[in-house]
Amino acid sequence: MKIVSAKVIVCSPGRNFVTLKLETDAGVYGLGDATLNGREKAVVAYLEEHCLPALIGRDARNIEDIWHYFYRGAYWRRGPVTMTAISAIDMALWDIKGKALGTPLYNLLGGKSRERVMVYAHATGKELGDAVDAVGKARDEGFVAIRVQSSVPGVASSYGVPKGDRAYEPAQKGVAEEQVWETAPYLRYLPKLMDRVRSTYGFDFHLLHDVHHRCTPSQAARLAKAMEPFDLFWLEDPVAGELQEGLRMIRKHSTTPIAIGEVFNSIYDYTTLITEQLIDYVRMPIVHGGGITHLQKVAALAAVYHVQMGFHGATDLSPINFAASLHFDLAVNNFGVQEYMPHVDPAFDVFKVNYKFERGYCTIDDKPGIGVEIDEEKAKKYPYVAASLPVARRTDGTMFHW
Amino acid sequence: MKIVSAKVIVCSPGRNFVTLKLETDAGVYGLGDATLNGREKAVVAYLEEHCLPALIGRDARNIEDIWHYFYRGAYWRRGPVTMTAISAIDMALWDIKGKALGTPLYNLLGGKSRERVMVYAHATGKELGDAVDAVGKARDEGFVAIRVQSSVPGVASSYGVPKGDRAYEPAQKGVAEEQVWETAPYLRYLPKLMDRVRSTYGFDFHLLHDVHHRCTPSQAARLAKAMEPFDLFWLEDPVAGELQEGLRMIRKHSTTPIAIGEVFNSIYDYTTLITEQLIDYVRMPIVHGGGITHLQKVAALAAVYHVQMGFHGATDLSPINFAASLHFDLAVNNFGVQEYMPHVDPAFDVFKVNYKFERGYCTIDDKPGIGVEIDEEKAKKYPYVAASLPVARRTDGTMFHW
Amino acid sequence: MKIVSAKVIVCSPGRNFVTLKLETDAGVYGLGDATLNGREKAVVAYLEEHCLPALIGRDARNIEDIWHYFYRGAYWRRGPVTMTAISAIDMALWDIKGKALGTPLYNLLGGKSRERVMVYAHATGKELGDAVDAVGKARDEGFVAIRVQSSVPGVASSYGVPKGDRAYEPAQKGVAEEQVWETAPYLRYLPKLMDRVRSTYGFDFHLLHDVHHRCTPSQAARLAKAMEPFDLFWLEDPVAGELQEGLRMIRKHSTTPIAIGEVFNSIYDYTTLITEQLIDYVRMPIVHGGGITHLQKVAALAAVYHVQMGFHGATDLSPINFAASLHFDLAVNNFGVQEYMPHVDPAFDVFKVNYKFERGYCTIDDKPGIGVEIDEEKAKKYPYVAASLPVARRTDGTMFHW
Amino acid sequence: MKIVSAKVIVCSPGRNFVTLKLETDAGVYGLGDATLNGREKAVVAYLEEHCLPALIGRDARNIEDIWHYFYRGAYWRRGPVTMTAISAIDMALWDIKGKALGTPLYNLLGGKSRERVMVYAHATGKELGDAVDAVGKARDEGFVAIRVQSSVPGVASSYGVPKGDRAYEPAQKGVAEEQVWETAPYLRYLPKLMDRVRSTYGFDFHLLHDVHHRCTPSQAARLAKAMEPFDLFWLEDPVAGELQEGLRMIRKHSTTPIAIGEVFNSIYDYTTLITEQLIDYVRMPIVHGGGITHLQKVAALAAVYHVQMGFHGATDLSPINFAASLHFDLAVNNFGVQEYMPHVDPAFDVFKVNYKFERGYCTIDDKPGIGVEIDEEKAKKYPYVAASLPVARRTDGTMFHW
């Protein structure tokens, strides 16, 4: 089953998505997500200029071989652009394999380990009261796991808080917004927010929070400890993760579960974190982490050390990645939770999806492969719009982690 | 696709084999090897009495779930009997999945990473000259990787050396033979054997040797160091492996590649060995190591740490396991070598195999699933014969490692 | 003193028990427990088919040699089935030695280190109040050490809680019950239970609790920390124990004493746990842990690192094992506590025991050997009934630890 | 001093080069190399689409701030494409700073620590004799440090060996060449080559060798040990470097100095390698490693642990990067050696360089900034030609490290 054509489709139905389409001489095609938020065109060029010519003529069945071809064959390994391109190829090949064999992806990954996938909602507010209300709204919608974020009093802009009434989309058109941030008020504020959430709604649901890399190890350790009375499901990205040892201090001081890695792209970003048992959840998404092939290996490594999977799933990843994630979530034993942020309507104008949300859980139907289709004509209606994620500075102007 | 029947077939075409057959309501059936040399009936009972009733009615597609059902559901985890039973179930389910989808097993494991599988032959001799000749014979047969073993002068019996003219089959009818062994003469003798092999045939082929657990760490370190001039592909099972830290000393003193684990049955037997990089090759076979599902995880863990797969493949494992191993070997990137010891003819009277050996490599055809069939009528012609592996004593009578 | 006959007796007086009986040419016989709950027939086959023929003719006095014969001679080492078979042989040989010398087992193990053996009772309840009352009842019966378990509100089924009014027997006839479990509510609930127990009855008795492997390391660390105000004697099996390093995090965060290993079967399951001082109590029972011979070595290793013995002693082990445990408990210096769960009456119809409970302690009389007899005729009245331990799934269907 | 324009120039005078040109309102402009061999267009897109719009209007003097803006602002950190884009910006800004202050770059980096920069030559041969002759030729040209590579008998293609009579340029037009490689013959061959080199020319010059990631840790340890009699200046990239711990075994077995990292791009790729003192030389080039700003920090960390700088300097990096490297090499105290491979003539048609080679050393003149100019008109004469680095397969077809 030879690959006979390969093309990249860029569209922006609400936000930018990059989609890889591979066609085979068996008449079966596959789709893979190649979206790297704010760096989309680099992935497009990586694929079109450097990968796709080498894909033509290869046997689509040999996914492991093709994975290593592009991983090792790049010579310059790892990194978000490289690994997103590889992920897209890998996803499209698994989609092809499923379609060629007439079976949904999860069945190729070992079958179902569960019937439905617990997802967590985003609840955000411009102030404490709004955030608390948003948690209540998410509970009313049936969510059993909710991530809460809010603006911090005295801090000009906070991660995860929308500006207007629309759902939170941090990327904005054109050049990155420069936000202002200080961690000290946040450290003092967060326990208040969590206390209000728990005292309002009790403990009978999973509560999550994303630090978004904005702590030093000692700040993160302090924060994780301060979160203990609120029984968090996880505290996410407590410190910037390039230095894996940076998580050690948190672990020494707190039992709050830790999730990390939505910006990671390789199993090597996790070796120390996992083998030293510094984390509880893997956040690296399929679309950035080398695809299904690589994530299966990460999940295997994680399982040995009691670590569970908790895929990134914001709307900066396309419905194709989300569907692939659900297949993976259904199949793997060491599943924890799946992030779920519904795409805006235009996305569903372009992508025909096979999953749905109901009362706290997502399910996916039995269409072969990944099961999401793209309407290429409609995609053309939504041309690419350059957009950037924000950056953050401290009040003295220091470039900081967004 | 429900499992509707499950049965265990025991036969002895040359040696004992235990085979699990699962049938589904889709008319597809699967076969798994459940042979545990010298402990066959314990696995039969484990399956028949404790597992098969719980299999009936389960969805054969959900392999991961069923794996955890029997692993965790046993309560008393791990161990050769337990894990062989789980392996048989897992293999049969992968066989079913392949047949149901009409595709060979390797295609479900990621496709082909290579076209053929390098195997190593056994060359054994009753004395040094015989062993050296046996290496020559194996080279003449086209082998590019050869394991050499020989009797040790002054030691009554040695691992790997046949008694008569037949191929080496250590298990013998009835109660275990008690052999006599001393390690000291072996340590002095082995370099002579290796020197003769290399000086006779040169270095242009892979040379292997199996210590069969008979060294202490300091003996093993000395031996591994003494092997360095002979450029071994691997030195196998240098010490008994229950204590993984027992391999540290070898690694400190020698660069000779180390293979271990034909007696292992769990990923947890390898965690220290792999993450501390004390070994180069994983020997745990599919049939004893929890099946394809578990071995995929072991291979993933191994790959991170530069460790390759080198499956046990003596004739104490059935052709079903050997075929499954070849599929696995074809698919995984971090493949090293596959042990290959041809079964005696009666085995092929019962098992119809889809693989062949040619000039140093094995290949397997594209029959769906694992692709080996069993002739149940013929199996009845070869009833079970109780047999035991030998045990070893030192010259003073001390029970020792065989 | 040659072994002249060996047979396995399976009976089910209330629950299944497997008993090994060895007879010698000196007219002395010995009994060993070979019960592996839910996997009984595999042990029977292991013994009958693969071990007993090799026992005949051996000198029953050479226990150490016979131990290594079956441990090393199996080739495929460790695991619950293998080690239970070895345990039964070992126990029967010690029973023979005691009878041959006309002395109780404890006297062969070094004599008495104490006059009586502190045991802990099971106190369980369907809800918090019931559990608290059960603790009171146990105190009234004179127990000075009590393990408390209770159903968790909102969790369909909990470990350790009987369904009807009978004593807790988790195994049920036929295929395993699939229970539903979630850890999060349990983590919130347990401190409330413990608080009520301590505020009702004070601190003047030993309080124990069994987590039954249902936590991740960070959950277990949190729980162990939360238990500190309640002065636990131990917290048992806080995480699944295949990965010994998995206990490290608990130890970093809490001083609550930890017991582990009722599912272990080898000293190698404890090496990291003991040498890194991650635990306080060894739970591996004689019947699954290779017998008296092997447990003496475990106790020796444990003593070096301030670890004490706390044998598993639920009714899934036969009175023979319980009596052997009491001998061991009397003899060893580093004794902690002994689990004690009285067998139902039919068990005593078959097994004539030499131990009794009085005011918190068990004592054993001075009958030679282990001192428990089996009435083989009565055993026949209670034929084997296939039964299985439950399995647990999370609410989304994920196979979990029972 | 605001940046007022930014453009990317792609040309292929002999091979592809990507050059970033930044212009300021002060009339000063800067050039940065952005060449990522075989992945050029991805960097172009990364720069043009995602970085350059955000550069316009920034103060060119604030290099540190701009570095963090693009590093942290990417959100998805590290990786070859990202870091090469950042490197190009960083280099161009340092070029601007030098030009604005009318001073050569080295003067801004702390001035000269030496007058000239020791470089090493490439000596390669199609067979042993050729390679040895090539070393002689390099010595005749005055080189005092020479890297020797040669084809390995019996291996179809080897790293570092040109095909025809032209200088070695591994990238070839179009899709990657699939080469065949085996490590075993190489391990046996290399000591012979080195022995001949040293016995022919003596020890009075620095001898280097590049393993190009083709060993496992145990192979690399063996090779490093075997190299000891030949007094290597360094052994380069002995194993693939994503797993930094993978270098530990080499260090345990050999004192041969180790260089690593021409494929690295971040200080975090070196943390374990440097703090555990597993290496002697940093190979990460300025153009891929985040520019001068980031490499200064790497050099600082390295110096603490006695590690020296040894920049990658093959012709896949443009003359701009080479000149920047020379400035860096002149300035930093812990300089080791600089790779030097002269560009083919057309490169000098486009790039006007300020450095020269003489008797084993390179010197650079005192032009302000980096000092290399680009002739944009001439660049247009050499349009981009898609080219790829080779990939390597083992003889059985396994995708391997090139």
Side-chain angles (χ1 to χ4, degrees), chain B residues 114 118 233-234 281 308-310 329 332-338, chain D residues 394 396:
Chain B
R114 58 197 58 78
M118 184 171 75
F233 184 91
W234 79 33
Y281 296 94
Q308 293 172 286
M309 304 304 290
D329 296 337
V332 79
N333 177 272
N334 58 326
F335 167 72
V337 75
Q338 169 69 49
Chain D
R394 298 186 57 183
D396 68 353

Side-chain angles (χ1 to χ4, degrees), chain A residues 237-255:
Chain A
D237 288 343
V239 297
E242 301 101 318
L243 184 78
Q244 298 185 49
E245 303 92 302
L247 279 279
R248 283 183 187 146
M249 189 180 173
I250 306 170
R251 212 58 164 182
K252 276 185 199 135
H253 289 280
S254 172
T255 59

Side-chain angles (χ1 to χ4, degrees), chain B residues 61-82:
Chain B
R61 295 174 301 182
N62 297 338
I63 303 179
E64 180 81 14
D65 186 71
I66 291 173
W67 195 93
H68 284 280
Y69 179 90
F70 287 107
Y71 179 74
R72 299 186 175 183
Y75 192 58
W76 323 100
R77 296 180 183 181
R78 300 184 290 162
V81 176
T82 303

Side-chain angles (χ1 to χ4, degrees), chain A residues 175-236:
Chain A
V175 167
E177 181 192 6
E178 301 206 3
Q179 301 180 343
V180 178
W181 173 260
E182 280 300 330
T183 299
Y186 163 74
L187 292 179
R188 292 190 297 268
Y189 172 73
L190 198 67
K192 291 176 200 160
L193 171 61
M194 292 304 181
D195 185 46
R196 182 85 78 80
V197 169
R198 283 303 194 197
S199 61
T200 305
Y201 305 109
F203 284 79
D204 199 19
F205 65 100
H206 297 305
L207 187 59
L208 300 84
H209 180 73
D210 184 358
V211 181
H212 226 253
H213 320 103
R214 296 181 182 192
C215 285
T216 62
S218 61
Q219 288 173 327
R222 169 188 162 193
L223 184 66
K225 212 163 156 186
M227 289 297 102
E228 291 180 359
F230 311 114
D231 186 15
L232 293 201
F233 185 90
W234 80 32
L235 191 69
E236 182 183 347

Side-chain angles (χ1 to χ4, degrees), chain C residues 84-390:
Chain C
T84 300
I86 293 175
S87 298
I89 295 168
D90 188 79
M91 256 186 268
L93 293 173
W94 280 103
D95 195 27
I96 287 170
K97 196 178 287 284
K99 287 169 176 165
L101 297 173
T103 193
L105 174 59
Y106 69 76
N107 192 36
L108 297 174
L109 304 181
K112 284 191 183 177
S113 284
R114 59 194 59 77
E115 289 302 318
R116 52 188 193 159
V117 172
M118 183 172 73
V119 297
Y120 70 85
H122 289 192
T124 62
K126 278 170 215 161
E127 53 183 65
L128 194 149
D130 296 342
V132 174
D133 291 350
V135 172
K137 190 161 163 285
R139 280 169 55 80
D140 295 344
E141 290 166 3
F143 282 98
V144 295
I146 302 165
R147 187 194 82 169
V148 64
Q149 312 285 135
S150 113
S151 294
V152 176
V155 175
S157 48
S158 301
Y159 167 76
V161 183
K163 283 176 184 173
D165 294 332
R166 308 197 322 173
Y168 181 61
E169 285 285 2
Q172 69 167 28
K173 280 190 192 178
V175 166
E177 179 191 7
E178 301 204 1
Q179 301 180 343
V180 178
W181 173 262
E182 282 297 332
T183 300
Y186 162 74
L187 293 178
R188 293 192 296 269
Y189 172 74
L190 197 68
K192 291 175 198 160
L193 172 61
M194 292 304 184
D195 185 46
R196 183 83 80 79
V197 169
R198 283 305 195 194
S199 61
T200 304
Y201 305 110
F203 284 77
D204 197 17
F205 64 101
H206 297 306
L207 186 58
L208 300 82
H209 179 74
D210 184 358
V211 181
H212 225 253
H213 321 103
R214 294 177 184 197
C215 285
T216 62
S218 63
Q219 289 174 326
R222 170 187 162 192
L223 184 66
K225 211 165 154 185
M227 290 297 101
E228 291 180 359
F230 311 115
D231 186 17
L232 293 200
F233 184 90
W234 78 34
L235 190 69
E236 183 183 347
D237 287 344
V239 298
E242 301 102 318
L243 184 80
Q244 298 184 49
E245 304 93 299
L247 279 280
R248 284 181 186 147
M249 190 181 171
I250 306 169
R251 214 57 167 181
K252 277 185 199 137
H253 289 280
S254 171
T255 58
T256 295
I258 302 296
I260 197 165
E262 74 180 31
V263 304
F264 289 0
N265 54 66
S266 162
I267 198 169
Y268 300 105
D269 293 335
Y270 278 108
T271 44
T272 298
L273 289 169
I274 290 177
T275 63
E276 291 194 11
Q277 303 170 64
L278 302 178
I279 60 168
D280 300 88
Y281 296 95
V282 165
R283 289 280 293 151
M284 183 167 75
I286 293 173
V287 62
H288 299 155
I292 292 153
T293 296
H294 197 53
L295 260 306
Q296 282 187 298
K297 293 164 187 174
V298 174
L301 176 64
V304 176
Y305 292 91
H306 304 278
V307 173
Q308 293 173 285
M309 304 304 290
F311 283 137
H312 176 54
T315 48
D316 63 333
L317 313 177
S318 97
I320 296 166
N321 175 75
F322 189 73
S325 301
L326 291 179
H327 284 288
F328 199 103
D329 296 337
L330 283 174
V332 79
N333 176 272
N334 57 327
F335 167 72
V337 75
Q338 168 68 49
E339 185 176 17
Y340 173 59
M341 186 182 169
H343 289 94
V344 293
D345 287 346
F348 300 117
D349 196 27
V350 174
F351 295 97
K352 302 304 167 193
V353 306
N354 55 336
Y355 52 81
K356 63 181 180 198
F357 168 78
E358 203 174 3
R359 305 296 314 156
Y361 293 81
C362 280
T363 52
I364 195 157
D365 71 19
D366 279 353
K367 284 202 186 62
I370 294 172
V372 172
E373 294 309 317
I374 187 167
D375 184 327
E376 297 186 47
E377 285 312 305
K378 287 197 173 154
K380 289 176 188 159
K381 294 194 318 185
Y382 303 97
Y384 170 74
V385 180
S388 306
L389 285 168

